[in-house]
Amino acid sequence: MSEATIPIQVEDLRAKASRELESVPDLDGLEAWRITYTGRRGQLTQLLRGLGALPSEERREAGAVANAVRAALEESLAEREDQLKRAAMEASLSADAIDVTMPGWPVPKGGLHITTRIVREICSAFASMGFTTVEGPEVEWDTYNFEKLNIPKGHPARDMWATLWIDHIDEDGEHPMLLRTHTSPMQARIMEATEPPVRVVVPGRCYRYEATDPTHEWHFYQIEGLAVDRGITLADLKGTLYEFARRIFGSERKVRFRCDYFPFVEPGVDMSIDCFLCDGVGCRVCQDTGWIEIMGAGMVHPQVLENVGYDPNIYTGFAFGMGPERVAMLKYGIEDIRLFYANDLRFLRQFA
Ligand code: PHE
């Protein structure tokens, strides 16, 4: 390197460095540029090392040029740093900016439980036939759950209801309090509280001391129905329940009544609908019978009427009891009753 050319070299370096500085893309690039040109081992510093060998006149001149260039480059560096920082800030601001045209987060919306829905549907089908909806206690006295319903203590029919007893013992050492095993105790409560005519449906929770499986839960709902008046016959029972089945399961449904036993009705029946899946031909859902049982029913036993102070020579009535979960299972093809109360949103959302 010829000593006389140092100022020219410095100028060249300045031109090259300035050009490069323009195209430094970011702060990391800027630091690399500084190390290359103005840093302690940078190219400008290297050039200045040659100054010592120059005659003093020239050295002063070249030194002045070199110092001016260093100052200019350092100033450009600071400017470029400023520029890049501002650009980075603007970029991050616009990245975080709120786009007011974007749709908002959906607000989680609750829905009615499938049991609530089917209970309301069934009750409103009966409401249009003149039945009022009433509710009653889930903790009951033995008297209402059994005795007034013609099921005295020690009667073998008590075995039909595996009972959860409340830990409350009376003077005789008996457990008179329980979780109702069915909604039928409300038959007695309603008749005691009102004069005929009576037309009510009673939806509510029931409890049984039972192992669970696809068709049994230890707690479940029932809908009780009761109609008492002068001159009510089995034909009224059949007509009312037939109409109910058509409203819930469609106008094509057929119904079948067969004899069954419940201590508080005489005669007692169970009601089936023809299988909606196979139209009565026989399939897995109806266990090849073509029929699906949906409730117990019957004419209110004269003893029950007497127990609540109604004169069985004047009044007659019919009663029925059905499981709304069972109705929903048939209507929607649900295969396991335990799904209703397992709180799995994937199941529940299908009906919400
Ligand atoms: N309570 C009965 C049960 O739980 C059902 C029923 C109600 C039957 C009314 C007849 C009349 O099994």
Side-chain angles (χ1 to χ4, degrees), residues 151-173:
I151 316 166
K153 285 202 170 60
H155 193 286
R158 287 204 176 202
D159 292 349
M160 291 169 72
W161 297 276
T163 308
L164 285 157
W165 297 95
I166 299 286
D167 196 9
H168 167 81
I169 303 171
D170 67 12
E171 296 121 43
D172 305 331

Side-chain angles (χ1 to χ4, degrees), residues 19-31 33 80 84:
R19 247 191 341 269
E20 261 175 42
L21 188 61
E22 288 300 310
S23 54
V24 166
D26 53 24
L27 291 170
D28 284 345
L30 204 62
E31 177 61 5
W33 181 93
R80 183 77 182 130
L84 286 174

Side-chain angles (χ1 to χ4, degrees), residues 149 160-161 181-185 187 206 208 220 222-226 237 260-265 267-269 295-300 318-322:
L149 297 175
M160 291 169 72
W161 297 276
T181 59
H182 49 180
T183 43
S184 302
Q187 288 187 30
C206 306
R208 288 191 195 168
F220 51 91
Q222 277 195 348
I223 298 179
E224 192 80 10
L226 176 70
L237 180 159
D260 202 349
Y261 170 70
F262 302 96
F264 35 91
V265 287
V269 296
M295 70 175 106
M299 299 304 290
V300 180
F318 66 80
F320 57 86
M322 73 178 94

